[in-house]
Amino acid sequence: MRFTSEDAEKRYDALVRVAARTVVGLDFDGTLSPIVDDPARAHIHPDAPEVLMALAEEVAAIAVITGRPARQALDLGGLEEVGDALDAAGKELFVFGQYGNERWTSSHRRIMGARPPRGLATFERDLPRALRSAGASDAYVEDKGLAVAVHTRRLADPEGAFDRLLPPLRELADRHGLVLEPGKAVIEVRSAGSHKGMVVNRLAAVLDAEGFLFAGDDLGDVEAFEAVEELGDRGLAVLRVCSASSEESALIALSDVVVHGPVGVLELLGRLAADARALREG
């Protein structure tokens, strides 16, 4: 774990002092779950449930905010069981899927979602031609219901295929009124209706938060980092945590703390829980 500045260490200490009124927001892939070639095998780190349950005793709420469908995150993360434990402790677990277009909570247990965006069906119709023109016909296409993700990780030249695909998919998304979200060897196309920053602001307002920590690893988390910084400008105690890897470094310059992958994220969350508990117990 590395603080990026002396000010970042002070931010952490301030967050500990208001832990009981703090919301912890977490990305899924690359933050709670290691990045893998097959998205369907991206299971949560085995230590995560225990760490999250200990953390829940010290903070106001925990939210998993992901580009995945909410049902996928719940199943791959075993998050319904985590929600059971948090609910029993009088705390809430939120799962926001598809960048906030889907919502599940441990108190209501029903996924609330939006309709597929206009233009997505015609985008999918035109997608094979775009893949062929970029020499990436074998890219794995994941239909998320409210979005489409094109994965290049399994191809012989993942980076080259990603670079070739980005311009034509961006043009195709624009033509159909959709937005493009690049990630680690994946290009996601979805509606412009929501992003992680909007979820951060919504949670902070609804829960009357005094602190907010967000941990992410990818370009899709930039809006969340920006929203957290804006909350800090409004007087909240905030901390932005980058789950760093060799594949993506865009978040490092925006971060207060840099850790190495899900293991590092869990170590930081465990430290936050321990420091908050020590302060609470005097």
Side-chain angles (χ1 to χ4, degrees), residues 23-257:
V23 178
V24 174
L26 304 165
D27 178 36
F28 189 86
D29 292 280
T31 302
L32 287 176
S33 167
I35 296 290
V36 294
D37 289 345
D38 183 354
R41 299 177 65 85
H43 294 284
I44 198 170
H45 190 281
D47 294 339
E50 181 179 354
V51 172
L52 294 179
M53 287 180 224
L55 179 65
E57 296 180 5
E58 308 301 332
V59 301
I62 297 173
V64 176
I65 309 171
T66 175
R68 282 183 177 272
R71 174 46 58 191
Q72 277 189 9
L74 287 164
D75 292 344
L76 293 173
L79 294 177
E80 289 188 272
E81 290 78 9
V82 175
D84 288 339
L86 268 63
D87 203 43
K91 299 296 179 70
E92 189 107 41
L93 174 67
F94 296 84
V95 177
F96 290 90
Q98 308 220 39
Y99 297 89
N101 283 305
E102 294 180 330
R103 180 177 183 269
W104 177 96
T105 70
S106 56
S107 59
H108 290 93
R109 302 299 176 119
R110 180 182 176 189
I111 296 173
M112 306 296 291
R115 294 181 178 180
R118 180 180 297 180
L120 188 62
T122 50
F123 172 88
E124 291 185 87
R125 182 198 65 199
D126 296 339
L127 180 58
R129 185 183 306 113
L131 296 179
R132 287 195 301 271
S133 68
S137 296
D138 292 333
Y140 171 57
V141 177
E142 180 186 7
D143 185 346
K144 295 185 172 185
L146 301 180
V148 173
V150 179
H151 298 263
T152 65
R153 188 177 299 277
R154 301 179 188 178
L155 300 179
D157 179 15
E159 292 183 7
F162 180 92
D163 291 340
R164 293 193 305 274
L165 277 170
L166 202 55
L169 292 193
R170 191 182 301 278
E171 189 277 331
L172 189 60
D174 288 344
R175 191 192 315 161
H176 292 286
L178 303 169
V179 298
L180 181 144
E181 192 81 60
K184 294 179 180 177
V186 61
I187 300 169
E188 184 161 322
V189 175
R190 57 183 175 84
S191 73
S194 186
H195 56 70
K196 293 184 181 182
M198 294 172 66
V199 178
V200 167
N201 283 322
R202 193 183 316 153
L203 280 171
V206 169
L207 298 176
D208 194 21
E210 295 180 17
F212 208 110
L213 178 153
F214 186 86
D217 76 311
D218 208 338
L219 291 171
D221 299 309
V222 168
E223 288 97 343
F225 273 46
E226 292 173 344
V228 169
E229 186 64 9
E230 290 172 4
L231 292 176
D233 292 341
R234 301 208 298 265
L236 275 71
V238 298
L239 200 71
R240 300 162 300 171
V241 181
C242 173
S243 177
S245 73
S246 59
E247 294 186 2
E248 181 60 65
S249 59
L251 294 182
I252 291 178
L254 302 176
S255 301
D256 301 303
V257 185

